[in-house]
Amino acid sequence: MTPAVPEFPGQPSVVPTGLDAPALAAELGGTGVPVRWEELTWQQAETTAAAQDAVIIPVGATEQHGPHLPLAVDTLICEAVALGVSALTGVPVVPPLSFGVSASHGDFGGTVALRPETLIAVVEDVIDSLYASGVRQFILLNGHIWNNGALDVSAEKLRVRHRDARVRALGYVTMYPGPEVDGHVQYGRALMHANFFETSVMLHLHPELVRMDKATSHVDVDSFWDYRMDQVSETGVWGRDVAEADAKHGGKEFDRCLLTTARAVSAAVREPWPDPTHRPGATA
């Protein structure tokens, strides 16, 4: 039987991808339908935890994305990738954490920010709860670069607290090389914000939320320091050629994020644990 295709928020009941989802699901362990944790009963959650022993936790943000994109960009893209990965691998997805470390956007309106300490505490509580349900592998899939520090600290704390757990924080573009990301950003250590990349992906996923008539660009400059966004951009955009963004390019980038992350997750949840008898340099 051909697996059903996943449903994505705000999208028709088809995968918003050019990938061969049924074939990839058969290869990577999924059914073609994402497993949404919040839609399970508690009995189903226990069964799913026992069968998969892993969850994906999307972590986004609610913050300004220039005059042409909605506040939810980081959450929407990250959750779409997470649901696609779930459809291809069978690893369930919990509801996204929609607030992130965003205070450095400064005086632009609309942003709802958590302190890094707050995000760390939230992630700890979420993973502790899932751990109590029997899950032992946790993939923190990040959609907002300034969450990185908090998520890395969370992962370190949880690895220490739960010796039989595995925790990894990664961005949804982490699994393919950064130079391959076509964001039309020359500087800023590949910082992508409301730029050509994000605008293109949003045109692919949620064109109804993109206001291209209001699109503006920002000529990025080289800098050693990080700044508040309102110190370096008058519109909240970082990146060139935003008006050239298009859904076709966004679909291509989305497919690559989805495929590379799904392959990595499928392999990761089956990775053998280290042999406790192994020591580097030991002889037979």
Side-chain angles (χ1 to χ4, degrees), residues 27-155:
E27 173 192 343
L28 300 178
T31 65
V33 178
V35 181
R36 298 175 185 256
W37 191 260
E38 70 274 22
E39 294 182 354
L40 304 175
T41 65
W42 69 264
Q43 296 100 329
Q44 290 172 321
E46 283 189 342
T47 301
T48 300
Q52 290 291 341
D53 193 29
V55 294
I56 301 168
I57 305 171
V59 187
T62 300
E63 61 182 34
Q64 73 80 25
H65 272 76
H68 68 295
L69 292 176
L71 301 171
V73 166
D74 293 340
T75 303
L76 290 171
I77 296 177
C78 186
E79 185 180 27
V81 174
L83 290 170
V85 170
S86 177
L88 298 184
T89 66
V91 177
V93 178
V94 302
L97 305 182
S98 299
F99 301 129
V101 180
S102 302
S104 61
H105 281 284
D107 293 334
F108 291 106
T111 296
V112 180
L114 300 181
R115 289 170 295 162
E117 305 93 315
T118 304
L119 182 58
I120 291 167
V122 169
V123 170
E124 287 186 78
D125 285 353
V126 169
I127 290 185
D128 282 343
S129 297
L130 293 165
Y131 183 91
S133 294
V135 182
R136 293 295 181 267
Q137 300 181 98
F138 305 92
I139 296 147
L140 293 162
L141 189 63
N142 186 23
H144 171 53
I145 192 170
W146 299 123
N147 290 339
N148 286 352
L151 295 182
D152 286 342
V153 170
S154 300

